[in-house]
Amino acid sequence: MLQTDTLEHALEHTESVEDREAAAPAPAPAAATSAPATPNAPALCRDLFFQRCLWCGTPAYRRSFCRACGSVSFTRERSEGSGVVVRRNGQAPHHTCFVAMDEGFNLLCEITATAPVAVGARVSVVRSVAPLGQGLPLVELTAPPLQRRW
């Protein structure tokens, strides 16, 4: 048999919902949050975080286990955000490369330069994550590679 709520039970239920809503903390204003207002707005987060193995201390970027000892225990650390291009990846229109970061881990990233960047150039992080968490970190050229003459 189907039971229907009485008017008194319905009033008690709405009062308890109103009490819970009044007791809940007010949401933070939109200006105080670090997330962009729209999903397609550019995220200018320069903070790049990497992992360091708790067992052997090996640095890594977005790994599920340590490549040196196989541990799955990591601590999260903030990177200084600078490194050296060690390899260009793919064709020039894609502008992707591998960067050896100063902390000791390698990072596949995209470069803001319009021309291909030479191996050995110093770069720094402009954006650590793309909007909606997709894509590669974005870096910019800070110093050209050292010219060594024989």
Side-chain angles (χ1 to χ4, degrees), residues 63-104:
R63 300 276 308 205
S64 58
F65 61 92
C66 177
R67 70 179 192 274
C69 69
S71 171
V72 294
S73 300
F74 291 99
T75 183
R76 187 175 175 207
E77 295 181 16
R78 183 184 313 262
S79 172
E80 293 295 322
S82 61
V84 177
V85 175
V86 291
R87 184 176 137 209
R88 290 190 325 217
N89 189 22
Q91 302 296 324
H94 297 287
H95 296 296
T96 58
C97 64
F98 283 97
V99 174
M101 301 302 285
D102 292 342
E103 288 83 9

Side-chain angles (χ1 to χ4, degrees), residues 14 16-17 25 28 30 35 42 51 55-56 64 69 82-83 85 87 100 106 108 115 119 131 133 141-142:
T14 56
S16 64
V17 170
Q51 301 161 310
W55 290 97
C56 67
S64 58
C69 69
S82 61
V85 175
R87 184 176 137 209
N106 289 336
L108 177 64
V119 172
L141 184 67
T142 57

Side-chain angles (χ1 to χ4, degrees), residues 14-33:
T14 56
E15 287 174 2
S16 64
V17 170
E18 290 171 359
D19 292 340
R20 278 185 263 147
E21 289 175 355
T33 60

